[in-house]
Every structure is written in C-alpha cells, then in structure tokens.
Amino acid sequence: MAFSLASPFNNFQACSSSSSSSSSSSTAPCSSHFNSISKYGVWTSTSTSRRKPMFQRIRAKASDDDDDDKPAFNPFGFVTDNPSSRSAIQLPESPAEDGNVGQMLYRIEDKGKEYGSYIKCGGLRWFVRETGSSQSRRGTVVFLHGAPTQSYSYRNVMSQMADAGFHCFAPDWIGFGFSDKPQPGYGFDYTEKEFHDGFDKLLGVLGVTSPFFLVVQGFLVGSYGLTWALKNPSRISKLAILNSPLTVSSPIPGLFQKLKIPFLGEFTCQDAVMAERFIEAGSAYVLKLEKADVYRLPYLSSSGPGFALLEAAKKVNFNKLLGEISAGFASGSWDKPILVAWGISDKYLPQSVAEEFQKGNPDVVKVKLIEGAGHMPQEDWPEKVVDALTVFF
C-alpha cells in the first residue's frame, strides 16, 4: 500500500470546493461539509469534491479555549490536506465494511479508459486513446502528456477534436497511466533514448507515417516529446505546446527535486495521491473526486508507477534538457510553425516562460494565452484548448 509523506499528526483541514463546468468561467458555490467524527477519529463526508478556486477554500479551525470542539486525532491525516484526496482513504464505523484499499480499487478500476485500448509494441504494452479515424479529413494529431500524469487529461480535447475532423492518438508513456511499468533493468530503464525509441516504434504500430500534428504538455516525459520532435522535424507538420518548461529559466517543481534526493525520493514516489496533488497545485482549481480517482489509480494499485517516475527523475538532467529545447527551437534551428497555448494561471511556470521562448524564434512561435486555465489547460478548460488548436492546425 502506498502512503504519503505528509505527517499523520496534521490537524484536519476542512474546506469547501466547487467546480465550474468546463464551458463556463463562473461557478456557483457548492459547499462540502462534514457531518461527524467516527469513533476511529476520521471525518466522514456528505458530499463529493467539486472544482473551486483554491482561495475560496474554508479551513475549519478548532477553538483554542474549547478542547471539546477540536478534531480528534486522525491517523489518516495524510489524505485530508487535499480536497479531492480526503475521501480516498477513510475509516468507516466498522472497518470491515468498506474503506480498505482493495475496495477502493474495485470502485475505480474501470474508470478513466475512455477511447482507450492496449497496443503491444516492442515487447511492452502501451495504453493508447484514439478518437476519429484514419479517414478524418483534417489530419492526425498525437497528444503527449507530462509527469506524473497520464493521457486521461486529453480525453475531452480528443473528443472535440474528432468532432472537428481530426484523427487523434494519446498514449500513456511507459511507466505512466495504464501502460506497462517494467522494473528498471528489466526491459526499460526510463532514459530519454528509450522513451524516444519506444515512441518511434509505437508510431509505426499505429500507422502514423505521414507528417502529423504533435501536441505536448508537461514536465519530464513531456519534455522528451519536445526533444523527440527536435530529432524528427520531417515527421511533424506543426507543433503545439501547452504549459511546459521551455527555457533554462523555467522553474522545476519541488516534486522532481525531492525525487532526486536519496531515500526521500523513494518515499515521495510512493505517495498514492501524488498526481492529483501535483495537478491541483499547478491550477486554480481542485479536481472533482471522479477525476482524482483516475489520476490516483496507478499509484494506488501498485508501486510500479512510483518507481518508474523515480527512475526517470533520477536520470534526467533538467538544465541540459531545457538548454537543448531552448536552443533547438530557436531561430535558425527550427522553421515549422509552433503554437504555445498557455494557461496563465499556471502555479509552476510563469507566463514569462512562454514569452521568452517566443522571443527566441518570433517568426515561427505564436503564443495564445488561455485565461482561467493553469498548468494543465487541457484539463482545466478543454474547449479553449480545442479552439486554439483547430485554428492553428
């Protein structure tokens, strides 16, 4: 079972959260409240989490002068500091009834596989989402996700892009999502070259041969999508980049820094709610519970994805990688059209990263700012991403 590093002695922080529909920029308040504390000291909830701007969260405080009002000790405090994950692991009145990891997995194991199927390639099994068909009139688009997430983030964008006449693929990188997660040293070592080689083989199996549109987002394996493009410019028609580190000045989130620290990295990679926390920390919203379930599932079901992420993080040199990206797409080095569609509420990467990247090749790079979206605009506001992509492609 995977556990978080957060202290089990944290006081419970209750907060309300609500969500806008992805087609509206305003939200109606929807309060989450908690009825009681069970005899095991764990809060029970009467409503599910919905997206809501984090600054509107309300933190419950116990009265300093009334010990009776203070929350009881919570042995599962590590899941309650995140609105979507606080419902992940809770003890019921009778522990035998529900709430254990096996039953949580049973509840969510079939979620999150929209438009997806398994593809055997190079001895490994990839999970690949597909919408549209090879006969789609506007061409093929391949979507690549970043760490520590998965292709699930593109599901709504892919559906709408297919409706607009595109043939779309979105694989889970090896080690992520629903794809295979081999132990390092047994068929895959999570190096940049292996990710590139694996992606090459996958494109062949999928029959993606003519120049296609490539969409990339995120850190680490997302960056490997960009360096693959630099090595294969003739295979790409146009390149779209959602929020990703693009310059040597791009900040690197604390998650990846912790993964590089001996021992701390081994603990960090086994945090079952790591992915959803990473997503929420980079956005103005919290995830609905049903979405958080999918991002949590790989890390909850086994230790494999955590150790895959750990191995990939240990092997990457971010300074070298970002230097290659910045120089490779600069004027004189790259001449294919690039769209940088940027969620301006990104808590990891400031808007200045996109602007600095554009200055490196102003004749080729176009920047489209997406209001109301954070680090993963495809999750926060898919309609605006689709609008930007369909115009650009």
Side-chain angles (χ1 to χ4, degrees), residues 310-363:
L310 176 68
E311 196 68 18
K314 284 181 175 180
K315 286 183 165 62
V316 68
N317 181 329
F318 280 110
N319 286 335
K320 181 176 180 292
L321 180 65
L322 297 181
E324 291 176 358
I325 291 171
S326 180
F329 290 109
S331 296
S333 299
W334 182 271
D335 59 3
K336 300 290 181 69
I338 297 176
L339 171 69
V340 178
W342 200 265
I344 61 176
S345 297
D346 192 335
K347 305 297 180 60
Y348 295 127
L349 297 167
Q351 182 179 323
S352 59
V353 170
E355 294 169 345
E356 181 183 349
F357 182 74
Q358 183 185 35
K359 289 178 181 177
N361 198 343
D363 295 332

Side-chain angles (χ1 to χ4, degrees), residues 4 6 12 37 54 81 85 88 118 124 128 138 144 174 215 236 294 296 303 307 310 326 386 389-390:
S4 165
F12 175 79
I37 305 175
M54 287 187 177
D81 60 355
S85 64
Y118 288 97
L124 296 171
V128 182
R138 299 188 65 179
L144 297 179
I174 294 297
V215 181
I236 294 172
V294 178
R296 178 190 309 133
S303 62
F307 284 116
L310 176 68
S326 180
V386 170
L389 294 181
T390 51

